[in-house]
Structures are given as C-alpha cells and as structure tokens.
Amino acid sequence: MSDASLPGAAPATRRRAAWRGLLPLCLALPLLPFLAASGFPSQDGPSHIETARLLELIRAGEAPVAAQFLEEFDPGPTNVLALQALSLLLRVLPPARAEWAMALGLTLLLLGAVLLALRLLRGRAEDAALGALLCAPVMLYMGSFSLVLGTAFAFVALAAAARLLAGGGAGFALLFLLATLLGCAANIQVAIPVLAAAFGGVAGAALWRRLRGGRLVLTRPEARLLLAALPVVGLVLLYKLTMAGGDLAEGANWHYPRQLAALLFRADTTWFWYSDLVLFLLLSLALFGAVVWWLWRGAEAGRATTSPAPWALAGSLAIAALILVLPTATTAVPQIPNRLAPFLHFLLFLWFMTAALPTGWRRLVVALALATGLSQAVTRSIGHRVLEARMAEMVSAEAQVPAGSVLEVVRISWLASNPVAPHDTPAHYLGGFRLRFSPFIHPGRGTAGRDIADLGNYQFMPRWRLFRLRPRPELEDVPGFGQLDWAMHNRRITDGLAGHRDRLRAAVGRDIDYLIVWHAGVDATARAQGDPVLAAFLADLAAGFEPVSRSAPAGYAELWRRKPEEAGPAPLAGIRPE
C-alpha cells in the first residue's frame, strides 16, 4: 500500500506541495522592486560609480582636471572586489543602469547564500520566507556595495559552519575559511560578526551541553571550526597593524534606541512604510517567543550532539551583545548596528531551520515572514518608482556640466543652521514614505565617465582612508573638501562660499566652475530669513554665479555657472595631472 492511499495521506501531501510552492514566491519577492524601475535608489552608490570610473580615467591620463585635485591611494587588501565589479559594469552600461545591475547582482548573491543554507541544512521550503527577508539590507540602499558583497560571502561561511557542526566533513571547515577570506577581501568588517558567531557560538553550545548534564569539552566539529577561524583572527590583527591610518574608535557615540531598533524593528533591512515596520516587530516577537519555548522545553533532547541549533542561537546572542556594547557609530564606521544585525538574523534563520519546534510555532513565524515579505516587496516597488523620478532631476542637472569642469554640490537642507536640517528633507519624507537613506544627494549618475572634478563626492573627504582616490596633499587642509554644505553647517567654514573658493584657488589654482543646488522642496529664500548661514550662502551664490537651469517637474535641482567676470586664475604651474 502506497503512502498516498493511507487515510489522511492525500491532504498531507497537498499541504507539503503547497508549502513547496512557496519557495519560488519567496525567492521572487526581493527581486520584484528591480522590475518596478530602471534604476536603483542608493545613497552612496553614485559616489562609488563616479570614483570607480574616475580612477580608470586618471590612470589612463584622460582626466587632467580631476587629477589636479585627486591622486590614487592604496588602502590595503580590502574594499576591492565590489569596485572591480562596478568598473566592469560601467564599461558596458550607463552609470545609473550599472548601479541597478550592481544592486541586483548583490541581491542575487544574498539569495544564493540563503538557498545554499537551505540546502546544506535540509531546511523546509517554507523556511525561505524567513531567509528571503535578509536580501534587502538597508546597507544596500545606503550604497555600501563592498559591505553587502562581504556579507553574502559571510552568509556562505556561516552556513558552512552550521553544516560542519551538523555532522559534515572537514571540507565544510575549508569552505568556511575560504568564504570568510573572500568576505574580508570585499570588506574587512565582516570578520568581526563571523568571528563572534564562531567563537561565541561554540562557547554557548558547550555551556548548553554542560547545563544539560554533559561535559564542558569541545566536539571534533567545533574544534575544526575554531581552527578554521584562527587565520581570520590573524588577518584582522594584520589589517589593524598595517591599516592606512585613522582610529576606528575615534568619535564613538552610543544611541541605544537605534541599537534596539536594529534588534526589534529590523532596522538592518529596508522598509518604506509602517506596514513593514509593524510586521517586522510582530515577526521579531514571534521568533523571540519560539526561542523562549525552545529553551524552556530543554530543546531537541534527541539531537543535541549533532544539531547546530545551540551554536546558531548562541552565535546570534553574541552578535546581539556586540550591537548593544559597541557604539552606534564612529568617525570611520557609521551605522554599526545595521552592519552587524544581518548576521544576527541569518544565524536565527539557521537556528529556525535546525531547531525542533512545534508545527504551530513554525506556521506562525512562516506566515508572518511571508506577510512581511509581501508588504516589503510592494512598498519597495512603489518607492523605487517614486524615487526614480526624483533621481532623474539630479541626473538632468549633472548632465549639463561639461567635461573639464570643477563641480560643487550644495544641499540646502544640509547647509541650513537648523540642527535638524539634515533630516528635514524629502530625502527622508517623500510622498508618505519614511526613508532612512537619501538616494539623490550625491552626484555621479550624470557625471561618471567624464573628466569632472566633483568636489561634493564625500569619498574625497580627507578623513576617509578606505577608498582608492584621495585629495592631493595640498587640499588636506581645505575644510569642506568633499562636503562643503555640512562643513558650513558645522561652522568649520565661517567665511562662506567666497572663502572656500579662495582656498581652492590658493591650493590648486582652480575655482568652482559649476554648482548644483539641491533644493528638494525646501524654500531657500523663506528659510534664509531666519538662518544667517543660508542667507550668507545665497548672497555669495548670487554674487559669483548665474543660474543656468532648474530641473523639471519639481524643480529640486538648480544648476549655476560661475560668472565670466569671476573667472579664476589659470592652473598653477607644477601641478602634475598624473
């Protein structure tokens, strides 16, 4: 007698088939927003695009103007892979489309890591609903392409570690090491959560066995995992000893609401509307309840020696501790909780696949994860369409800047002296959407591939030591280089736009040729009446520049050209356009 002929077998078979049918849906949801618009709304992506293409032009001697301001720099063996991939894309695609393709490729890599974990740990098809939520990290929208690439490799490493602890062969220890090294080559920061998961997870699993009456000793798979992690420890120490400069802890600050948000409200992933926020909170509470039930019932009595569930849960708790202990940001590393939290939630995904949970808990978590994924796919798709029109206005202004120009960018809402000005902008509140990134504040989609010295590219700020272009030494002491508006906002520049231009001319013999003013719906004239910083800037702007055009239909971007009578002196002799 076949199983299908047993009483109740047919409904059970249909239920299993229905659950399996969820797999393609779960995998499709993170990809739907890429079909909604032809571009991707990342914040720092345009700067990466501009830097990647400009680096090639300077090397080829085809960007003499940019070379007056910038020189190549070697930050060490990290932040390399994503830049190379982006450079290849820019050879065959327009800048905005290359940004879209880069983001899509990174999303596919994250999906691939989730599928690999699902296969290695023999997860259920419906578990993909939880894993798919890891494929829209907020750091992707921030434009941190190197970090997201490193995260995808690190997910593979953690999945390999879980398979090793589940009884896999020594080859999975090698896969863990290789995937981690690739992740570090993409971005060295991923070493910290991977090592926390490896060592913290093993310590927690050993303690778990001891509390259940076992011995406080390492199993052979755990010893293999720790041995495979030791070279990564050495790599981190070597990087710290040889890093190009700067103190990673400088300017540390703690903001506990943001740290808790990364844990409870999934601030590490992208949500555009409050429906996503509420569903993420409910999902977090359901997972927390499942963890408490699992711990209270003693957890998997018959599988304790081979299941990686205790390791995965202990590793996630180790990363949660890091999120609460480490600062929210430092001068060199912003948004630390959002960089760490994806690893915590990936480990919870591994735990969910391998923990012995009752059917009721599983169905609740899967249902909430699926509802969250559906909501997120819809709101992201609508958001992409809305943001695409806004980004087009910035690109239209950039496209009018001729090659061989020096370009500056000023965002009115960043310049204003109001302390909350940087967040009081449609970059954060747009059409009812609540965004945590600003996808049209950095040029690059319209300037990349041409010899334009973009002084508004934040990567050229002297404090950064992670990128492969940096300002020439004579510009190191020019405040506001790379972010003029923010320097004026913070009173690092007290003599306004005119004083900034004088210092540029003295340093490299070049003046600003074109200036893009990003209004973003802010009435600059009305705001300047009670804002002396903004009023002084508008006066300097009118005195030294003339309006060229204003973008349509919203008029968010305005292009100004230096007046002919304001032409600066010729470039200083001795400047080497290398």
Side-chain angles (χ1 to χ4, degrees):
M1 180 181 294
S2 66
D3 292 342
S5 62
L6 294 174
T13 301
R14 287 195 294 270
R15 283 196 297 270
R16 285 195 295 271
W19 282 119
R20 285 194 296 270
L22 283 178
L23 181 60
L25 173 63
C26 294
L27 299 179
L29 289 178
L31 303 176
L32 289 179
F34 290 92
L35 303 178
S38 59
F40 184 80
S42 75
Q43 175 170 308
D44 297 344
S47 297
H48 292 296
I49 289 171
E50 191 173 60
T51 301
R53 195 70 186 95
L54 200 56
L55 179 61
E56 291 188 341
L57 293 176
I58 290 177
R59 284 173 174 173
E62 299 175 5
V65 173
Q68 288 182 290
F69 292 84
L70 306 169
E71 64 182 7
E72 190 170 353
F73 174 66
D74 183 10
T78 187
N79 271 17
V80 177
L81 300 181
L83 180 67
Q84 294 296 332
L86 195 53
S87 297
L88 292 174
L89 288 172
L90 287 166
R91 294 177 185 177
V92 296
L93 294 173
R97 197 62 175 170
E99 181 187 19
W100 176 91
M102 186 73 183
L104 176 60
L106 291 171
T107 302
L108 289 172
L109 284 176
L110 291 171
L111 274 175
V114 168
L115 277 175
L116 178 65
L118 200 69
R119 181 173 180 82
L120 289 181
L121 299 178
R122 299 178 176 88
R124 302 160 182 82
E126 60 269 23
D127 294 343
L130 188 61
L133 296 176
L134 295 158
C135 301
V138 73
M139 297 312 295
L140 179 62
Y141 282 81
M142 288 299 299
S144 301
F145 297 147
S146 293
L147 176 65
V148 177
L149 179 60
T151 299
F153 286 124
F155 282 178
V156 172
L158 294 176
R163 183 66 184 92
L164 173 67
L165 298 175
F172 289 104
L174 179 60
L175 177 59
F176 166 83
L177 175 59
L178 291 177
T180 304
L181 292 178
L182 282 172
C184 291
N187 192 300
I188 192 67
Q189 295 172 20
V190 303
I192 303 303
V194 170
L195 291 175
F199 286 92
V202 167
L207 180 61
W208 174 252
R209 290 194 300 272
R210 182 70 183 90
L211 293 175
R212 299 181 66 227
R215 298 174 60 192
L216 193 62
V217 295
L218 297 182
T219 64
R220 181 174 295 180
E222 287 171 347
R224 286 175 173 170
L225 175 60
L226 296 186
L227 284 174
L230 288 179
V232 184
V233 176
L235 177 64
V236 172
L237 293 175
L238 179 64
Y239 177 78
K240 183 66 177 72
L241 291 173
T242 60
M243 62 183 297
D247 183 0
L248 294 178
E250 181 183 355
N253 65 85
W254 282 261
H255 191 273
Y256 288 107
R258 293 181 186 176
Q259 290 160 290
L260 291 173
L263 298 174
L264 296 178
F265 293 95
R266 292 299 302 273
D268 62 295
T269 191
T270 306
W271 43 264
F272 277 60
W273 187 237
Y274 294 106
S275 61
D276 304 338
L277 178 63
V278 171
L279 287 168
F280 272 123
L281 176 60
L282 293 175
L283 176 60
S284 296
L285 293 175
L287 277 171
F288 178 76
V291 168
V292 171
W293 183 95
W294 187 80
L295 292 172
W296 178 59
R297 293 298 299 267
E300 311 192 280
R303 300 171 59 196
T305 57
T306 59
S307 172
W311 170 83
L313 182 58
S316 67
L317 292 175
I319 295 177
L322 285 180
I323 292 174
L324 295 175
V325 171
L326 292 178
T328 307
T330 67
T331 301
V333 187
Q335 301 196 49
I336 293 175
N338 292 343
R339 295 168 186 266
L340 293 173
F343 300 92
L344 181 155
H345 295 293
F346 185 79
L347 286 165
L348 284 178
F349 169 57
L350 299 180
W351 170 82
F352 184 76
M353 286 193 292
T354 55
L357 292 172
T359 303
W361 275 117
R362 289 196 167 277
R363 287 181 176 174
L364 175 62
V365 170
V366 168
L368 285 171
L370 185 59
T372 305
L374 286 167
S375 174
Q376 188 186 42
V378 171
T379 58
R380 286 177 64 206
S381 298
I382 296 173
H384 281 213
R385 291 296 299 269
V386 174
L387 294 173
E388 185 175 39
R390 304 302 191 271
M391 291 188 296
E393 294 205 22
M394 174 64 94
V395 174
S396 68
E398 296 174 45
Q400 298 177 60
V401 178
S405 300
V406 179
L407 171 67
E408 184 60 89
V409 178
V410 171
R411 290 142 292 211
I412 293 297
S413 58
W414 284 40
L415 168 69
S417 58
N418 182 345
V420 297
H423 305 288
D424 182 18
T425 162
H428 294 265
Y429 295 94
L430 178 64
F433 287 96
R434 174 68 173 91
L435 307 182
R436 292 171 293 143
F437 56 94
S438 304
F440 30 71
I441 61 172
H442 293 310
R445 299 182 182 99
T447 58
R450 295 184 291 149
D451 180 19
I452 295 176
D454 173 16
L455 308 188
N457 188 323
Y458 81 99
Q459 295 182 3
F460 302 153
M461 296 171 67
R463 69 185 177 96
W464 294 112
R465 292 293 184 267
L466 297 173
F467 305 109
R468 296 193 172 265
L469 282 176
R470 67 177 180 185
R472 287 191 169 277
E474 51 267 35
L475 288 162
E476 291 271 347
D477 296 326
V478 176
F481 189 83
Q483 213 163 59
L484 171 63
D485 42 23
W486 193 238
M488 296 173 71
H489 168 86
N490 284 334
R491 303 298 199 276
R492 290 180 58 230
I493 294 178
T494 58
D495 50 1
L497 177 62
H500 181 64
R501 293 172 62 193
D502 289 340
R503 283 184 287 274
L504 286 176
R505 286 193 291 258
V508 295
R510 285 296 301 252
D511 195 357
I512 298 170
D513 299 312
Y514 287 84
L515 199 149
I516 294 177
V517 179
W518 180 247
H519 291 268
V522 176
D523 188 338
T525 303
R527 197 168 203 164
Q529 294 178 5
D531 192 319
V533 174
L534 181 54
F537 167 76
L538 293 179
D540 286 346
L541 180 68
F545 294 81
E546 59 187 9
V548 175
S549 64
R550 190 155 188 169
S551 62
Y556 279 3
E558 194 172 33
L559 181 65
W560 292 70
R561 178 176 52 223
R562 191 182 66 232
K563 292 180 178 179
E565 61 271 19
E566 286 286 324
L572 293 178
I575 297 294
R576 295 173 291 113
E578 300 173 359

